Amino acid sequence: MINLIHALKNPQAFISQAMQNPQISNNPIAQNAYQMMQKGDSKGLEQIARNLAKQQGVDIDTLRKQIGI
Amino acid sequence: MQPFVNPNYFNPYPMYQQPQIQPQMPSYAQNIVHNGLEGKYVGEFSEVTANDVPMTGQGALFIKGDLSEIQLRNWNANGLIDIKSFKPSISEVEEVSTKSVEHAYLPSDELRMALENINDRLDKMEGLLKRKPGRKEVAEDD
């Protein structure tokens, strides 16, 4: 819970700290997403999120419609 | 019919429930971790879910129950799962080896030509040898 509050206060610092965790830093998706975040590539980040959802059998567009976003 | 239990009744001897330990039977689709390699046996590859593939950067091996195919699945940097499929090729190897052995016993064109030449010459020599006694016979008759 405390971690979540810290993350909301300064998400960039939280992610930078998280990237020092070997379990996360060894993850190719996290590495790519982190690099995209540093470059400000929001479209690339969205694509990663879409791909991850697709692999789990979730279509983001359908989900957005269901939620009403 | 269940016996009536009065909730207000104070039981001085509380019943202790013994935790029931269920023996864990190894299931067919149990994950295997061997020397850092993750994976499991599957009946069909459609049984494999995204959660079965670790996000550690290493892939997981999925082996078909009949050993007809092995798949290596790993997450790529774009958030998609890459699949590499491996199939046995034992029968093909055997076929090639038999062919190569057969081919080794077949004479080459040059060798075949040389053999034909030798056979022709042998036939000619045989013909000559057959003719000679005939002539003698003719001469004797004369």
Side-chain angles (χ1 to χ4, degrees), chain B residues 53-54 57-60 62 72-76 80-84:
Chain B
V53 184
Q58 284 186 320
F62 300 97
L72 172 68
R73 295 189 182 201
N74 54 351
W75 288 96
N76 66 20
L80 292 168
I81 294 171
D82 287 336
I83 302 170
K84 282 176 193 157

Side-chain angles (χ1 to χ4, degrees), chain A residues 23 26-29 32 47-48 51-52 55-56, chain B residues 50-51 55-57 75-81:
Chain A
Q23 274 193 322
N26 287 341
N27 180 344
I29 306 166
N32 195 20
Q47 192 56 51
I48 288 178
N51 289 344
L52 283 167
Q55 292 295 325
Q56 297 283 353
Chain B
N51 292 333
M55 283 190 167
T56 53
W75 288 96
N76 66 20
N78 296 324
L80 292 168
I81 294 171

